[in-house]
Every structure is written in C-alpha cells, then in structure tokens.
Amino acid sequence: MNTLALTTSSNSLSKTRFILFGSLASVLFLSWVRKKRKQAKDVTNHSVIILGDIFLDIVAFSSELPSWGCDLLTDQPINASAGGSALNSATHLSHSFSIKTVVWSAIGNDIWGSFIRAHSDKAGVSLKGCLNRISTAVCLVISGDNDRGFLTHRGPLSTLSLDGSLGFDQHSIIDSIKGESDHLHIAGYYNCPKLWNEPTGNILKLAQKKGISTSLNCQYDSTQQWGQLDGGILPNIDFIFLNQDEALLISKMDDPERAGHWFLSQGVRVAVITLGSRGAMAMIQEGASEQYGCTIVQCGCGYSKSFKLVDTTGAGDAFISGFLSIPQRNITIDSVCNGLRWGIATGTSCVGQVGASTMVSRSHIEQYLPLASQITVQQSI
C-alpha cells in the first residue's frame, strides 16, 4: 500500500508539473503571438512615400582610374544594378522591413527602365509617374579600395518636376497618401534640378500641413554650389540626412556638430549626419529655431577585424532606410536612438556586399545591431 501510495503521489506531482509547464508555455506563446501581431500592425500602419532619383548603376571595381587612350583591366565582374537614392532606400524599406513603399520618379521606356521595373516588382516597391521617352538615367560607379567616384547621365531626372507636365504634381503625391502613409522622403535632391527650392518647399509644406512627417537627403551636388535649399525647404523638414562632407559643405562649418547646429538654426527639427566607420550622430531641436539648444545623440560603429568592406556604394541610402524603418511621427530620443542603430546596421549590411540595392532579409541586418550599441546622449546649447 505504501509503495502504491508513493507511486500515485509521484504520478500526481508529475501531472501537476506537466500542467503548470503547459500553462506557462501557453502564456509565453500567447504573449509572443500578441507581440508579433503588434509588430505586424505597426509595420502595416507605417508606410513611406519617396520622391526622387532612380538610376541604372554600372559598377566597376578598380584601385586606380584608367588613363586616356589606355585599357585598364579588372579581375572583378562589372555589374549592372538598380540604383539611385530613392530606389535604394525603397528597396531596403520594402524588402528587408516589409514597409509599404511607393516611389515617384522618372525612368525611360527602354531596356534599362524594364530592368528597374523588374527589380522594383521583386522588391515589392510600387513605382509611380515613371515612364518617360528620354532614356533611363545611368550612373557609372568606379568603386575603389576606400572610396568611389561617379559619372552620371541624369536622363529623365532632369525633367522630374511637380508642375503637372509629367501627369502629376504635389497634390497628386500628397493626396495618394490618404492617411495610409505617415512619412514623405525626398531622395537624391541634387540629382533632380526641377525639384530645387520652391517645388520641394511647397510639397514639404503641404505634407506638414496634413500631419505627415518629412525627411530629405541631398546627395552630392555636381554643380559644387551646395545651395538650392530655399523656398521653405529647411523649416519644413523633420529629418535631414547628410554625410559629414555634405554637412560641412552646405553649412560652411568646420565640424559636424557646428554643421548640425546650423541646420537646426534654419528650422530643421533633426539633423542626422553619418560619420563613416565612426557611426552617426543626430542633433534634435529643442524649442524655437532661434534658440537652438539641442540634444545630441551619437551612435558608434564597432566593426570587428574580421569584417570585410566590399562596396560602399549606397551605404547612406541603406542607413536612411534603416532609420526610417522606425516610425518617427512623434520624435523622441528613443525613436532617434533606435533609428540610428537600425541605420548603422543596415548601412553595414550594405557595404559588406556588391550593389546599392541588394535585397537582404531583416534577420541578416539584425546580426549587425550589436555593432551599433555604443550610444551617448548629451545636451548642447
């Protein structure tokens, strides 16, 4: 009897443990499901419309430039890929982060245009207002050991405007949002001369009026003037994205922090400046633009010795997509910190492979998040 009682007690204890373990597992599973559903809902509600440049990139690798009249050989393949700041960022937002992304631009009705449309379809990016009789814009990229140079034909981007001549204007773009999108990004601004000054200023004003957050990245100014930011552009930008060289050239300042202060003094709410292998910084406006005290958030980038840099083309565009993958309708220090971390992780993922718009998974980008864990926050007057 004692043996039977002991066996029965032991079985009851095992059953109780099994029930408790099962209940705990069920609670954890349901919590995980709710979390994933919330994340999916956040992604579904967060979408981005981009106005800007699309290129066909021809990328060649060489440690030196060819001389006139000579033939320089390279042992690496010369690749053709979809490019341009607008499409690069859109590709990562859509494919890597499952964020609904629409690009308004202009491409040619030619073989390169077909190539770009096929890429966009595969990435899940919706192209609007694109077809043009002018041949597609092409950028020849010479990628070296530490930097790259470009030879660019703008093609239909020279005609990209908001005056209705291409069948759409600022109202077409803003009205297409219909509350579904919460962000408007102007990409490759200097590559689209008919968008300079008032046209971009007007669409940014309209977006702000409708409660849509806004951002802009300038890209390289081939005119070397580093201006064309009038017409109400800067006061209607929530985020301006620049690399260190662009920030210094536009602001005429001598270091990134002073450059950031200059942009805030012009009415920009957050100036985000990438610093290459040193990571990135964001300067967040506090109060009126005349009194531009701010919060400075810096995020380092801890590259390991084993990391191999392959191609820096499109690193800034990838950074922007990672940053904008975090909803920024309500600007907080946390949202900016998370934006910097995901921006650096996405940019790092990009420079580790060939091409500016290579499609990678979110999990591939996540592995680089630990590199962007060194965050400091400080106040500046």
Side-chain angles (χ1 to χ4, degrees):
M1 290 292 292
N2 290 339
T3 301
L4 179 61
L6 183 61
T7 302
T8 302
S9 176
S10 177
N11 288 340
S12 298
L13 182 60
S14 297
K15 288 180 180 178
T16 301
R17 286 175 175 170
F18 179 78
I19 292 170
L20 288 173
F21 177 78
S23 299
L24 178 60
S26 297
V27 170
L28 292 174
F29 176 74
L30 289 173
S31 175
W32 178 82
V33 169
R34 291 191 190 100
K35 181 180 178 181
K36 288 298 179 182
R37 283 177 176 173
K38 183 180 183 302
Q39 288 177 345
K41 183 178 179 182
D42 289 342
V43 168
T44 301
N45 291 338
H46 177 43
S47 54
V48 179
I49 281 189
I50 302 177
L51 169 64
D53 60 340
I54 294 178
F55 284 93
L56 186 284
D57 284 347
I58 306 293
V59 184
F61 295 89
S62 178
S63 58
E64 58 182 306
L65 296 176
S67 300
W68 291 114
C70 297
D71 186 2
L72 183 65
L73 297 178
T74 175
D75 58 358
Q76 298 190 54
I78 296 176
N79 301 294
S81 62
S85 184
L87 189 54
N88 292 340
S89 294
T91 297
H92 297 300
L93 283 166
S94 178
H95 183 83
S96 303
F97 296 105
S98 301
I99 293 172
K100 182 177 179 181
T101 311
V102 179
V103 176
W104 291 78
S105 187
I107 61 175
N109 189 14
D110 54 17
I111 186 172
W112 295 132
S114 298
F115 182 92
I116 286 168
R117 289 196 297 275
H119 169 92
S120 301
D121 289 343
K122 185 177 180 181
V125 175
S126 176
L127 298 182
K128 298 287 187 181
C130 284
L131 288 182
N132 195 297
R133 288 177 293 178
I134 303 174
S135 61
T136 298
V138 176
C139 182
L140 174 61
V141 184
I142 308 294
S143 186
D145 295 333
N146 299 304
D147 210 338
R148 66 268 189 270
F150 306 92
L151 181 63
T152 299
H153 169 65
R154 286 177 176 162
L157 295 177
S158 298
T159 71
L160 180 60
S161 70
L162 297 175
D163 61 8
S165 60
L166 298 180
F168 61 91
D169 59 16
Q170 63 188 32
H171 297 285
S172 306
I173 296 174
I174 297 301
D175 290 346
S176 71
I177 295 174
K178 295 180 180 176
E180 183 181 316
S181 175
D182 60 4
H183 193 83
L184 172 68
H185 178 56
I186 310 297
Y189 175 74
Y190 281 134
N191 285 326
C192 308
K194 288 199 173 182
L195 296 183
W196 293 352
N197 300 318
E198 283 78 11
T200 292
N202 290 338
I203 193 171
L204 290 172
K205 288 176 192 174
L206 188 58
Q208 292 275 307
K209 199 173 185 180
K210 293 204 171 189
I212 300 165
S213 58
T214 59
S215 61
L216 180 145
N217 83 297
C218 291
Q219 217 66 353
Y220 190 83
D221 181 9
S222 60
T223 70
Q224 301 289 312
Q225 298 300 307
W226 299 100
Q228 310 297 341
L229 289 169
D230 299 321
I233 291 178
L234 296 178
N236 288 288
I237 294 176
D238 290 313
F239 300 89
I240 190 165
F241 296 101
L242 309 136
N243 64 33
Q244 179 172 303
D245 291 340
E246 293 162 354
L248 300 183
L249 287 165
I250 293 172
S251 67
K252 308 296 191 292
M253 297 296 170
D254 57 3
D255 73 73
E257 187 172 327
R258 290 184 181 179
H261 276 297
W262 183 86
F263 283 103
L264 299 190
S265 74
Q266 303 302 305
V268 174
R269 291 163 189 79
V270 183
V272 183
I273 302 173
T274 57
L275 306 170
S277 61
R278 294 184 292 120
M281 64 184 292
M283 299 180 65
I284 308 170
Q285 179 66 262
E286 293 179 359
S289 59
E290 299 83 31
Q291 303 170 346
Y292 50 98
C294 69
T295 300
I296 302 176
V297 181
Q298 291 185 302
C299 186
C301 184
Y303 284 115
S304 66
K305 291 182 180 179
S306 61
F307 180 79
K308 183 179 179 182
L309 188 150
V310 176
D311 180 14
T312 59
T313 308
D317 305 326
F319 173 90
I320 291 168
S321 65
F323 191 100
L324 293 181
S325 72
I326 304 300
Q328 301 285 355
R329 184 185 293 273
N330 298 310
I331 300 172
T332 65
I333 292 177
D334 283 344
S335 71
V336 171
C337 286
N338 285 330
L340 289 175
R341 293 190 67 231
W342 278 100
I344 289 174
T346 311
T348 303
S349 169
C350 178
V351 300
Q353 55 201 325
V354 177
S357 60
T358 302
M359 300 179 207
V360 298
S361 66
R362 181 188 175 100
S363 60
H364 178 81
I365 295 171
E366 281 179 335
Q367 69 179 312
Y368 296 108
L369 277 175
L371 298 179
S373 58
Q374 304 167 2
I375 294 178
T376 61
V377 180
Q378 66 184 69
Q379 301 297 315
S380 176
I381 299 176

